[in-house]
Amino acid sequence: MRVLVVTAVAAERDAVCAAGGPYTPRALPGGLALHRGGADTGPAVDVLAAGVGPAAAAAGTATALTAAALDGAPYSLVISAGIGGGFAPAAPLGCVVVADALTAADLGAETPEGFLPVTELGFGTVTHRPDPALVRAVATACGARTGPVLTVSTVTGSAARAAELTARHPGALAEAMEGFGVAEAAVAHGAGVLEIRTVSNAVGPRDRAAWRIGPALTALTGAFVALPAALRAL
């Protein structure tokens, strides 16, 4: 089994890589650097920092997937991973979230009657759902909570916006900026998809003093230490 893990930034990539290794850098088109892992005792895991936001995530993921396919060694699973905001009280600081739905929270149109997702406009989809058995296995191994993770292009910075998102997407546990973009590329290549987030801040008013990025990155490493056993079990 070959697994591609896609993060936004190098700090998240390094937190994932700290769970295993060693990794060998490999240059990809567009200036991307893939960290390629081995597979001595489990699935082969490669890690890529593709950039911030759904467009960069989709483009970087598609590049890595295409390169692997051309090499004759395609990935069977793609994981969007990193830190993100948690919707209190369901997803407190430091917890791990495994998405049972990767949803583009703001892909659609504003109308006088309210927001319409692109699905209601007749275009594409706004949600990708991972294999439920995979979600359960990984969540159990990582001690994670499961629920929808929202992909946004603008990080929430107010209580009003947080309330709007929770009203539109009941049960959402976290928000981040890349999951849906990663999923779009993975699905186009016929690969499975998953999203793992660790919570560094509460979704709501922007308060950088309250962020806990270091502990969230440590929790991300811990989640990926536990991941191989869950994948082997499947």
Side-chain angles (χ1 to χ4, degrees):
M1 181 184 206
R2 295 196 67 211
V3 179
L4 174 65
V5 180
V6 182
T7 72
V9 298
E12 295 166 323
R13 178 201 64 206
D14 293 346
V16 172
C17 289
Y23 287 89
T24 303
R26 177 192 174 185
L28 294 178
L32 296 171
L34 181 74
H35 283 51
R36 171 162 283 178
D40 292 338
T41 59
V45 178
D46 297 345
V47 190
L48 174 70
V52 174
T61 303
T63 297
L65 287 167
T66 300
L70 291 173
D71 285 344
Y75 295 105
S76 55
L77 176 65
V78 183
I79 303 175
S80 176
I83 63 177
F87 288 95
L93 296 182
C95 79
V96 182
V97 173
V98 175
D100 61 13
L102 290 72
T103 296
D106 48 13
L107 183 61
E110 292 288 350
T111 76
E113 292 75 32
F115 178 81
L116 287 178
V118 292
T119 48
E120 294 187 27
L121 298 172
F123 305 112
T125 185
V126 294
T127 296
H128 293 288
R129 297 187 184 277
D131 176 4
L134 175 64
V135 171
R136 287 192 300 270
V138 172
T140 298
C142 298
R145 301 161 192 236
T146 61
V149 174
L150 307 183
T151 299
V152 296
S153 294
T154 302
V155 172
T156 298
S158 68
R161 175 62 171 168
E164 178 186 347
L165 287 176
T166 54
R168 189 186 302 164
H169 304 284
L173 290 185
E175 74 165 22
M177 301 181 75
E178 292 80 31
F180 184 79
V182 170
E184 287 279 271
V187 169
H189 280 257
V193 68
L194 192 67
E195 183 167 10
I196 300 173
R197 294 284 166 182
T198 54
V199 175
S200 60
N201 59 278
V203 176
R206 187 173 174 84
D207 179 10
R208 296 194 65 174
W211 293 0
R212 297 294 180 266
I213 292 176
L217 290 172
T218 299
L220 188 63
T221 300
F224 276 86
V225 168
L227 179 71
L231 297 182
R232 284 195 298 268
L234 287 171

